[in-house]
Amino acid sequence: MPSGSGSRGRRPRPAAAPVVQVSSSGSGEEGSDEEEEEEEGSEGPGEGSRGRGGSATEDKSAESEGEAEDPCLPSCPICMVAWTADGAHRVSCIPCGHVYGRHCLETWLLQYGKKKAPCPQCGKRYTQNNIINLYVPEIAVPSNDLEKQVLSLREKNESLEKQQAKLLEEIKEYKRIIMLQQNIIYESSSKRQKMTEQSSDGIPGAEPIASLTKNIDHNNLSSFALQNEFLVDGARVMGIDASSKIIFTSGRAHGVGAEHILTKISMFRRHGMEKIYLPPDTKAIRDICVLPGGDAVFASLGRKLSLFSVATNNVVLQYDLPAPGWSCSGDYTTSTHIYAGLQNGMILVFDIRQTSAPLYSSMGLSTHPVHTIHCAVDDSGSRKLFSASSIGPCVWDVSENRPSLVSGMENQGVCISLACTSPSSDLLVASYRPKVELPDDSATPQAATQSPALTGSGKLGCHTLLRRTTTTSFAKDHICSGSVSELRMSKSAIIPCGGNQHLFAYGDESLYRVRTWRLPSFQRYTDLKPHRQPVLDLRFAESSTGERYLGCLSAEKLQVFTVR
């Protein structure tokens, strides 16, 4: 027997911290004879390791390994690695009651080469069958130090989040400056191109040239002054409260599974943005309408029609819809009625004083989504509802709850937008793109005033003016061609200019900007400032005091123009 055995017999067994001793015991037992194993049956393996020539260096190494582990976590006394609740190193015990990782107990048996091995702490023998798995849902030890670490990390995280928010704001501002500079360059290039085209046609000055912030017709029909620009992220639709100078845009918060949000923007404040998180089941918003009283209503793909209070920034009323909502509108004759157009072609009428069910519901002429809905009043004071789906514009008699397709608009293509003069309904402009099965654009109605050749994306479509002839019927008037989206249902607007004159505004897909035409002739009027991406939504709104605004929205930018 090695001399270390004698010293082990005389040395008292340590009463505490057996973990450090055990950590260096594995290799010292290999090659020992049976007699030595029997003697070590009453001693800890850590003592045996030192008795056979284990130096103080080994003890220090073991101690440093133990200190490397987090002292707050429960760990196996043999390997000093935290045991687990399951797996190969799951927490286990042997008949003497001492607890180890199962892998270490099995390895300890293999090192002895016998069916029995001594407990590394008390020496009591155990076999493979004596190893008992302990079932615990979670292994954790309360620690004040850990709590302090968590609090410290939280503070650091909050500080980093604030720094990140500040950096993001700075990046947005730099992007805005770059965007403005790019627009100036684009405007200059566009001016030169227009002047070249006009000179080549021999008609210099036939059309107004758009300036950077103001576009004014020679006859002073109307002017558009750029009031403000905002950087947005992933916006799709918008609504304008002209009286309160507030704009709502829809979007989605960052991150996987993030909720959909409304962004509330003050028109005249550069950083006046407020994000409002919506109920999780709302899903993507398809349309927003600001009611005469100042509240907003929006239709969403989560089969919800929601009434939003501007005063409290909360959804105060929510109706369940039988299908996803695609469009919504308020009523100019009463502040309590709201309308919803659905994906399955239905239109529902709600009274916000009645929260249980709609007042009326009616199926449309097709099962295609109702992408546009307007409420208007004719000269006789009768309330009419105008809607549009891909088959074309429809007129609804609210009292009779019955729709009819506007005469002469059959087989015009795919209707993607409908603009209405509000609150009257004497003029409508329906926008179309060709059907997919058309071999070319030759079947598309030609314009009374041709647009220039398309230079960007999009497809050649048309805008058709409809004039009221009787209380219930309309007649097709002028037609204008233009670049329209091949996929999206875009928005359009009719802008009254006084003296019974109107402009039609639409987001031109090839120019990434809003183009305006005179009505009824469709003579091109002016182009507003461009975006770097297609214009997805545009809204005209007038306040109770006569202030008028036009909002233009793309996925990354919101423009607000004052209309004079």
Side-chain angles (χ1 to χ4, degrees), residues 434-443 459:
K435 291 184 178 179
V436 176
E437 63 266 23
L438 292 179
D440 52 38
D441 292 331
S442 60
K459 197 172 187 68

Side-chain angles (χ1 to χ4, degrees), residues 286-447:
R286 292 290 308 185
D287 196 12
I288 303 174
C289 176
V290 176
L291 302 178
D295 290 337
V297 61
F298 54 86
S300 64
L301 298 183
R303 301 190 177 193
K304 302 292 181 184
L305 181 68
S306 306
L307 182 65
F308 181 83
S309 171
V310 177
T312 63
N313 284 349
N314 285 312
V315 174
V316 295
L317 182 60
Q318 199 168 62
Y319 293 102
D320 292 324
L321 303 175
W326 273 60
S327 56
C328 58
S329 178
D331 196 321
Y332 288 97
T333 62
T334 173
S335 60
T336 60
H337 286 184
I338 54 178
Y339 304 87
L342 308 188
Q343 182 173 292
N344 62 1
M346 291 182 66
I347 282 188
L348 304 183
V349 184
F350 294 89
D351 188 327
I352 60 176
R353 297 169 297 183
Q354 178 179 327
T355 60
S356 57
L359 290 178
Y360 311 105
S361 63
S362 178
M363 281 301 303
L365 300 179
S366 74
T367 56
H368 298 165
V370 179
H371 56 73
T372 311
I373 186 169
H374 293 287
C375 182
V377 181
D378 58 25
D379 293 337
S380 64
S382 176
R383 181 175 52 180
K384 298 294 181 183
L385 205 61
F386 297 92
S387 70
S389 62
S390 59
I391 64 170
C394 290
V395 182
W396 299 67
D397 190 320
V398 178
S399 58
E400 297 182 8
N401 215 19
R402 180 169 47 87
S404 60
L405 188 67
V406 173
S407 177
M409 302 307 293
E410 302 86 357
N411 302 319
Q412 296 293 304
V414 178
C415 181
I416 58 175
S417 179
L418 179 66
C420 173
T421 52
S422 299
S424 68
S425 55
D426 294 332
L427 296 177
L428 303 174
V429 177
S431 302
Y432 289 86
R433 65 169 169 248
K435 291 184 178 179
V436 176
E437 63 266 23
L438 292 179
D440 52 38
D441 292 331
S442 60
T444 304
Q446 296 301 310

Side-chain angles (χ1 to χ4, degrees), residues 218-287:
H218 290 172
N219 296 326
N220 294 320
L221 181 63
S222 188
S223 65
F224 299 88
L226 181 61
Q227 190 69 49
N228 218 335
E229 278 191 348
F230 302 91
L231 294 178
V232 294
D233 188 8
R236 180 60 183 87
V237 296
M238 63 183 294
I240 301 179
D241 182 355
S243 297
S244 300
K245 310 296 187 296
I246 291 173
I247 295 179
F248 295 98
T249 64
S250 71
R252 188 168 186 168
H254 291 288
V256 179
E259 299 176 9
H260 290 274
I261 60 174
L262 277 179
T263 302
K264 185 177 178 182
I265 303 172
S266 175
M267 290 187 193
F268 299 105
R269 292 173 55 196
R270 174 64 62 186
H271 302 291
M273 291 189 181
E274 182 178 1
K275 295 187 182 299
I276 301 163
Y277 289 82
L278 302 174
D281 57 352
T282 303
K283 296 188 178 179
I285 296 175
R286 292 290 308 185
D287 196 12

